[in-house]
Amino acid sequence: MSSNTDFILAIEDLTVSFDGFKAVDGLTLYINKGELRVIIGPNGAGKTTVLDLISGKTRATEGSIRFNNIELTKMKEHQIVRAGIGRKFQTPSIYGNLTVFENLELSYPYDRNVFGSLRFKRSQAVVEKIFEVAEEIFLEELLEKQAEFLSHGQKQWLEIGMLLVQDPELIMLDEPVAGMTAKERDATALLLKKIAKRRSVVIIEHDMGFVGKIADKVTVLHLGKIIKEGTMEAVQNDPTVKKVYLGH
Amino acid sequence: MNSLKDYTDPSFSKLLYQRLFANKEALVGFLILTALLLLVLPLFLSPFRLGLAGRYLCYAFVAVGLVMCWGKAGILSLGQGMFFGAGGYCMAMFLKLEASDPESTAIQTTPGIPDFMDWNQVTELPWFWMPFKSFPLTVLLILVVPLVLAFVMSFFYFKGRVTGVVFAILTQSMVACLWYFIVGNQGYFGGINGITDLKTLNGWDIREDSSQRILYFICSLLLLACILLSRYILSSRLGRVLVAQRDMENRVRFSGYNITSFKVFVFCFAAVISSIGGALFTLQVGFMSPNLIGVVPSIDMVIFTAVGGRESLLGAVYGALAVSYAKTIFSEAYPNLWMFFYGGVFIAIVLFLPKGLAGLYQDNIKVWVKNWMRKPETDPESLKIKESEVNNVE
Amino acid sequence: MGDYTIQEIYSVVVMQSFSGLSLLCIFVLMGLGLYIIFGQMGVINMAHAEFLVMGSYTMCLFSKFISANFPWMMNYYIILAVPLSFAVAFGVGYLVEWLLISRLYKRALDTLLATWGLSLIFQQCFRSFIGAREISADLPDWLMGTWMPTDSIFIPVNGLVLLALTIAITVGLVLFMTKSRLGLRMRATTQNREMSNALGVNTKMTDRLTFALACGISGIAGAFFTTMASTSPTAGTNYIVDSFLVLVLGGLGSLLGLFISAAFLGILSSVLEFFMSGSLAKVWLYLIIFVVLMKFTRGLFSARIRT
């Protein structure tokens, strides 16, 4: 085991194999506090699997993931969330038959055990927090709307909002602008920059234009391995990256 | 934009009322059921029919439990007979001991123990029968036995994330296992014949018409209480999490909830309710046997719930009453046709009426009544309220 | 056990394992059908045991017909009866898929209820049209004999035939799935329904044939079931719970797991039955399975897949 670090997230020698196929292969990745990191890579590069591993959805075969120097690989999903990591899925996953307000309320990070949730009351603090987040994600006028009737982009925002209510130190987003209009993308870019001021963010994204707008640092993944890490410009001019994207 | 105050919860008593009766319809529905159970049926049914209704209501406890764990939380249990039986047997064991006092069992080789033990050469009351000498302990065990059973039988599976289908199959095997256990232990639990000839509860003769009537009212009141308790749970954050994990398991998990404990909770809750029903059943019929709680009756209990509407607490009561009543009437008059019809009900419910009678009411009768009562000036605002009402009613 | 000689204990163990082996064969034949249906369509078929009973009745009635009309055929009629049992179960399965199952794909919990209703209807059909009493087939003498490899070991011939048949069907099915066109289409549909559809596989017809095939296998199992026990309208209910447990224990999607768990259950249950009464043996069998599943909640053999 390596010693403690200042990184918020330190992934070392991470490997996972499914029936012999190594979806992630000896990955080492460090994320600084307050950093906004984008992971890119062609299809099947293992991007989503990395998020699955960090958030505990998939168990690692080897290696370590430490968050604020806490080992995550043995923890359950809900424990990882409670430690301070929020995760948004590739397809918006929200509660369609609840209102926007209720969606956000369900993510409020107190009273999350059985009997606590039975006692849970909407106090002023709860409502204030939800109002604050709703404003941030541009949904303050739609609090009473049933979530399944939101537009695709609004659903994406709502899910981001559900993470914000949790107040995590690290937010992980899987393709947050998929299916958004150009206007919505611009708004989202601003939103993410704002979010990143107070916490660390890891984003998986395909849209290079969008990546260029938001990223501090880009990591390129291919076949479960990192092939390049650096600024957007450096990555774009790298011959290996070009080769991977354009084929052999 | 609405103000902060509109969203914060009101004081306790007002909040309690809101949680039990989310809107006018929920209140009226509950009052209609209360009136039916406490006024209409006792006034119009003969003592014999009322006795039957009382037995059906015992199944309604199980059906309410199934609404909670299957309808709302998505956990289908084909083994609720296990918990119905737990309560039923606890009560039967208490009553049997009371019926087996040394004087009335003087002709046995060993007086003072239940007759079936004597027939099976058991000469001493086994240790696990001892608690049933005391009524308070029996009542406690009626609640604790199903709780422990449900916990042990669900915790590891939910923790290991077995799928719904596997869990359903497992619960069916569990109830089969219990059936074999009782049948195989003739000397200790009466075997296939069950525990029979139950007479008095603390000296009170449970076989007379007047006591049957009182038991009917106790049963109805407890059932109504269970419905209110279930409503309270569903309207709290706990209820929302239950429904949410049914539809979006991963999202709930990644909002920091430990789904295992929620699933175990609702499964145990349903088990305890079923057990209360089982105990009341024993009191009203005067015996308990493995064939009342086996694989087939357990599936019957699921179909009561499905007919009533798997997500409707009130519907579950009507479903249990309607199906049991139909079964009593038709299965005696036309046993052959009944099985065809009954099998057909399973298929028809799944294919055409997945929301059961409650769905029929929601989608047809209610719309019809609404159109009939509609006032000419319908502004969009009031329509919106109605829409939210539709979504809140269970 | 002091009164037994080593030789006798050895004989008991061999015979007891063999009776377990016969149970294993029934589990495998039932399980194969359930496995294919669940794997491809996400359907839990609670009426599967009724297809077994259907095969049994076909065999019984056919044997009665032969012994009444063509007694000279008694020694060989089984060669005709087995395909006939298969055909009847296949045909009914085809109809059931068309009328009911095709509307219920991927709604596993719902299919559980609907097919339970179907099984009630089938049982009542048997009762109304064939009779509620138990009946048995008239069997040729050679099938009812015993084979004695040593002086103290008696192995029933019908068990040997069942074993041979189970192996033949399993091998046949595996070959069919891997080599034939229909088998290829079945595997393709299981893997990716939309894609198969887009590539011109008639997934509806594939499903129908798959379901019917699974029912047909169960019909064959039923035909052989008559050589070991009599048939009654509710004979199937004893097997459905156990067969599903075999499937669950095997990992719900692994053929190897199915065989191993069928072997585990078959042999364990005959060993337990040797030591205690039938019902208590069942209780212990179930409890052992529950505890094993508490540890291995995904069954004994489940591939580690990306979810």
Side-chain angles (χ1 to χ4, degrees):
Chain A
M1 277 293 124
S2 48
S3 55
N4 285 354
T5 58
D6 288 337
F7 300 112
I8 188 156
L9 190 72
I11 301 176
E12 283 165 358
D13 305 319
L14 188 67
T15 300
V16 66
S17 63
F18 304 107
D19 271 343
F21 165 69
K22 285 188 176 170
V24 173
D25 190 359
L27 184 90
T28 298
L29 180 72
Y30 300 99
I31 311 274
N32 279 316
K33 288 207 168 90
E35 185 183 343
L36 193 159
R37 174 75 63 99
V38 181
I39 300 176
I40 61 170
N43 280 329
K47 300 177 303 263
T48 301
T49 310
V50 171
L51 290 203
D52 284 349
L53 286 163
I54 298 169
S55 60
K57 192 158 177 267
T58 305
R59 295 266 155 236
T61 318
E62 274 171 55
S64 88
I65 305 168
R66 277 169 305 136
F67 171 71
N68 283 336
N69 296 317
I70 309 165
E71 182 62 47
L72 297 183
T73 42
K74 296 281 176 292
M75 280 162 74
K76 294 256 168 60
E77 289 101 321
H78 67 272
Q79 292 167 329
I80 294 173
V81 173
R82 289 179 192 185
I85 298 184
R87 188 234 169 121
K88 184 192 143 348
F89 291 91
Q90 201 163 352
T91 45
S93 77
I94 49 165
Y95 313 115
N97 51 359
L98 298 181
T99 64
V100 169
F101 184 92
E102 289 167 333
N103 265 281
L104 294 172
E105 185 190 16
L106 213 49
S107 311
Y108 192 74
Y110 291 97
D111 292 329
R112 283 186 290 205
N113 57 7
V114 171
F115 294 100
S117 65
L118 192 60
R119 277 195 312 267
F120 176 79
K121 270 184 82 171
R122 259 179 213 175
S123 64
Q124 187 139 350
V126 176
V127 180
E128 269 169 9
K129 176 79 191 170
I130 292 172
F131 275 29
E132 179 198 315
V133 170
E135 208 178 325
E136 232 172 329
I137 57 169
F138 323 111
L139 295 177
E140 73 269 26
E141 298 296 329
L142 299 170
L143 280 173
E144 277 307 296
K145 191 158 178 155
Q146 211 175 312
E148 64 187 330
F149 298 127
L150 294 175
S151 75
H152 191 79
Q154 287 171 328
K155 285 181 186 168
Q156 301 271 40
W157 285 338
L158 177 57
E159 199 179 352
I160 295 174
M162 289 162 76
L163 301 186
L164 294 179
V165 172
Q166 288 171 27
D167 221 356
E169 275 182 75
L170 173 67
I171 285 192
M172 305 194 294
L173 308 166
D174 201 344
E175 299 196 19
V177 294
M180 282 192 181
T181 62
K183 222 174 136 191
E184 284 172 332
R185 272 164 203 245
D186 292 343
T188 310
L190 283 177
L191 170 65
L192 293 182
K193 288 222 143 190
K194 202 167 142 200
I195 291 171
K197 278 186 193 146
R198 278 177 289 147
R199 41 179 82 77
S200 317
V201 182
V202 174
I203 299 175
I204 289 177
E205 193 46 69
H206 273 304
D207 182 335
M208 289 304 170
F210 182 75
V211 174
K213 249 181 237 163
I214 56 166
D216 301 338
K217 200 172 172 190
V218 178
T219 299
V220 188
L221 219 57
H222 180 53
L223 298 177
K225 288 182 170 149
I226 293 178
I227 55 169
K228 179 77 189 166
E229 208 165 71
T231 61
M232 185 64 187
E233 208 175 346
V235 163
Q236 267 173 329
N237 295 327
D238 186 88
T240 352
V241 175
K242 277 185 187 161
K243 201 171 147 197
V244 161
Y245 268 90
L246 298 174
H248 301 281
Chain B
M1 188 163 161
N2 300 355
S3 75
L4 270 170
K5 247 195 146 154
D6 294 343
Y7 282 99
T8 38
D9 275 334
S11 64
F12 180 72
S13 58
K14 213 169 157 194
L15 178 67
L16 184 68
Y17 180 82
Q18 261 181 23
R19 288 197 167 173
L20 297 183
F21 310 106
N23 50 39
K24 219 187 264 172
E25 194 182 0
L27 177 65
V28 171
F30 184 78
L31 289 179
I32 290 176
L33 182 69
T34 310
L36 180 78
L37 294 184
L38 297 182
L39 291 174
V40 180
L41 293 184
L43 279 177
F44 291 98
L45 292 184
S46 65
F48 173 70
R49 292 265 167 225
L50 191 68
L52 285 183
R55 281 162 215 190
Y56 304 157
L57 286 182
C58 298
Y59 291 123
F61 281 87
V62 186
V64 167
L66 275 168
V67 168
M68 295 295 284
C69 85
W70 175 36
K72 296 295 181 182
I75 305 161
L76 175 57
S77 163
L78 299 178
Q80 291 305 91
M82 186 165 44
F83 309 118
F84 189 78
Y89 265 92
C90 284
M91 185 55 91
M93 285 159 86
F94 173 77
L95 297 177
K96 189 69 193 173
L97 280 188
E98 194 174 314
S100 315
D101 56 300
E103 291 97 80
S104 43
T105 54
I107 52 162
Q108 289 177 183
T109 325
T110 321
I113 62 168
D115 47 13
F116 61 82
M117 288 187 187
D118 197 55
W119 302 333
N120 286 285
Q121 288 83 43
V122 177
T123 51
E124 204 183 344
L125 198 65
W127 59 268
F128 48 85
W129 275 72
M130 295 301 177
F132 298 100
K133 285 180 171 169
S134 140
F135 187 63
L137 260 183
T138 303
V139 172
L140 187 70
L141 283 171
I142 286 171
L143 303 175
V144 170
V145 171
L147 192 71
V148 172
L149 210 57
F151 184 85
V152 173
M153 282 315 201
S154 67
F155 177 75
F156 297 97
Y157 300 128
F158 290 146
K159 190 159 173 273
R161 300 193 191 159
V162 302
T163 57
V165 175
V166 171
F167 191 71
I169 291 168
L170 280 173
T171 50
Q172 189 172 47
S173 320
M174 287 171 202
V175 80
C177 182
L178 181 67
W179 189 90
Y180 283 116
F181 176 76
I182 292 170
V183 170
N185 281 302
Q186 200 165 359
Y188 297 136
F189 294 101
I192 189 79
N193 303 317
I195 300 182
T196 52
D197 283 328
L198 307 176
K199 299 182 176 97
T200 54
L201 174 73
N202 291 329
W204 178 54
D205 194 330
I206 53 170
R207 290 163 301 175
E208 281 173 23
D209 278 354
S210 62
S211 8
Q212 289 278 322
R213 207 175 167 79
I214 292 170
L215 283 173
Y216 170 86
F217 279 107
I218 293 175
C219 194
S220 302
L221 287 172
L222 280 174
L223 180 63
L224 293 170
C226 282
I227 291 175
L228 289 183
L229 184 61
S230 304
R231 271 192 180 175
Y232 183 81
I233 291 175
L234 288 177
S235 61
S236 70
R237 183 182 220 190
L238 172 55
R240 288 228 182 91
V241 174
L242 286 176
V243 177
Q245 63 82 30
R246 176 192 70 187
D247 301 333
M248 283 275 169
E249 184 166 339
N250 268 327
R251 182 68 266 164
V252 179
R253 201 164 265 146
F254 288 106
S255 293
Y257 292 97
N258 180 6
I259 290 184
T260 308
S261 56
F262 283 83
K263 282 186 166 172
V264 171
F265 169 82
V266 75
F267 189 68
C268 289
F269 178 76
V272 171
I273 290 193
S274 309
S275 175
I276 296 173
L280 290 166
F281 187 86
T282 303
L283 276 175
Q284 295 185 61
V285 296
F287 73 97
M288 184 37 67
S289 96
N291 286 337
L292 290 168
I293 64 172
V295 170
V296 175
S298 296
I299 291 209
D300 287 349
M301 294 167 192
V302 173
I303 210 67
F304 297 156
T305 314
V307 167
R310 65 185 72 165
E311 289 202 53
S312 163
L313 292 168
L314 300 181
V317 180
Y318 294 112
L321 284 175
V323 179
S324 312
Y325 182 69
K327 196 171 191 172
T328 312
I329 299 295
F330 292 115
S331 67
E332 279 159 22
Y334 315 99
N336 292 345
L337 281 179
W338 164 251
M339 282 313 277
F340 286 122
F341 176 72
Y342 193 50
V345 167
F346 279 81
I347 296 172
I349 283 285
V350 168
L351 283 185
F352 308 115
L353 261 185
K355 284 190 276 174
L357 292 175
L360 204 63
Y361 164 76
Q362 280 296 329
D363 300 342
N364 296 296
I365 302 173
K366 192 171 152 188
V367 175
W368 182 76
V369 170
K370 214 151 237 172
N371 284 341
W372 185 59
M373 297 201 322
R374 177 144 59 187
K375 293 170 198 129
E377 74 289 342
T378 341
D379 56 325
E381 204 50 44
S382 74
L383 260 181
K384 213 169 133 194
I385 291 165
K386 276 181 187 139
E387 212 180 272
S388 67
E389 262 177 25
V390 171
N391 296 321
N392 281 331
V393 170
E394 25 92 347
Chain C
M1 291 200 182
D3 298 340
Y4 298 107
T5 65
I6 301 289
Q7 187 62 37
E8 278 167 334
I9 291 175
Y10 171 71
S11 307
V12 167
V13 167
V14 169
M15 288 192 283
Q16 218 43 42
S17 334
F18 193 79
S19 94
L21 216 54
S22 304
L23 197 58
L24 179 161
C25 292
I26 299 276
F27 285 153
V28 166
L29 290 177
M30 285 278 288
L32 276 176
L34 295 171
Y35 161 77
I36 298 174
I37 294 174
F38 183 73
Q40 181 167 334
M41 297 167 234
V43 167
I44 292 286
N45 184 16
M46 294 299 267
H48 206 68
E50 272 58 47
F51 288 96
L52 178 129
V53 177
M54 223 174 273
S56 299
Y57 273 121
T58 311
M59 176 87 165
C60 290
L61 298 178
F62 188 66
S63 76
K64 298 262 188 276
F65 172 76
I66 292 291
S67 70
N69 297 304
F70 309 99
W72 52 272
M73 272 179 72
M74 269 314 281
N75 271 337
Y76 319 103
Y77 80 91
I78 288 184
I79 297 164
L80 286 176
V82 170
L84 190 66
S85 299
F86 176 82
V88 168
F90 184 93
V92 177
Y94 188 90
L95 282 178
V96 164
E97 205 283 342
W98 179 43
L99 294 173
L100 176 65
I101 305 295
S102 58
R103 291 149 215 264
L104 293 172
Y105 285 169
K106 299 289 170 197
R107 287 163 61 188
L109 289 182
D110 284 348
T111 58
L112 222 152
L113 290 183
T115 52
W116 181 268
L118 188 68
S119 80
L120 293 181
I121 293 176
F122 277 147
Q123 286 171 21
Q124 189 57 43
C125 283
F126 301 146
R127 220 174 278 134
S128 300
F129 302 126
I130 300 173
R133 284 192 316 120
E134 294 193 354
I135 58 171
S136 334
D138 296 336
L139 295 167
D141 296 332
W142 63 266
L143 195 56
M144 303 314 289
T146 47
W147 173 57
M148 291 170 56
T150 75
D151 288 346
S152 52
I153 297 181
F154 303 88
I155 301 285
V157 173
N158 58 6
L160 284 174
V161 175
L162 179 65
L163 184 62
L165 190 88
T166 307
I167 294 171
I169 289 181
T170 310
V171 171
L173 194 73
V174 169
L175 285 178
F176 176 77
M177 295 288 274
T178 47
K179 303 282 182 215
S180 76
R181 289 293 291 174
L182 179 60
L184 181 67
R185 284 205 289 269
M186 280 162 65
R187 284 184 297 138
T189 310
T190 310
Q191 291 271 315
N192 189 335
R193 182 168 293 272
E194 285 75 31
M195 189 49 109
S196 310
N197 235 331
L199 289 174
V201 174
N202 184 347
T203 50
K204 270 189 180 166
M205 190 43 84
T206 309
D207 286 336
R208 202 154 296 160
L209 290 175
T210 310
F211 190 85
L213 181 70
C215 294
I217 294 174
S218 167
I220 297 181
F224 271 84
F225 185 60
T226 54
T227 67
M228 300 196 289
S230 54
T231 306
S232 72
T234 51
T237 45
N238 298 329
Y239 289 91
I240 192 73
V241 175
D242 292 10
S243 302
F244 270 115
L245 269 190
V246 168
L247 207 60
V248 167
L249 188 66
L252 254 189
S254 145
L255 212 48
L256 179 69
L258 175 69
F259 295 128
I260 291 176
S261 89
F264 178 65
L265 252 71
I267 290 168
L268 185 64
S269 89
S270 8
V271 169
L272 285 170
E273 269 170 38
F274 184 72
F275 289 111
M276 55 188 96
S277 79
S279 342
L280 289 183
K282 276 278 196 197
V283 172
W284 281 108
L285 179 71
Y286 283 143
L287 288 180
I288 290 170
I289 297 171
F290 295 154
V291 171
V292 170
L293 282 171
M294 281 176 185
K295 178 82 183 87
F296 304 94
T297 42
R298 278 151 202 233
L300 293 175
F301 290 83
S302 60
R304 188 164 184 220
I305 40 162
R306 205 180 136 173
T307 46

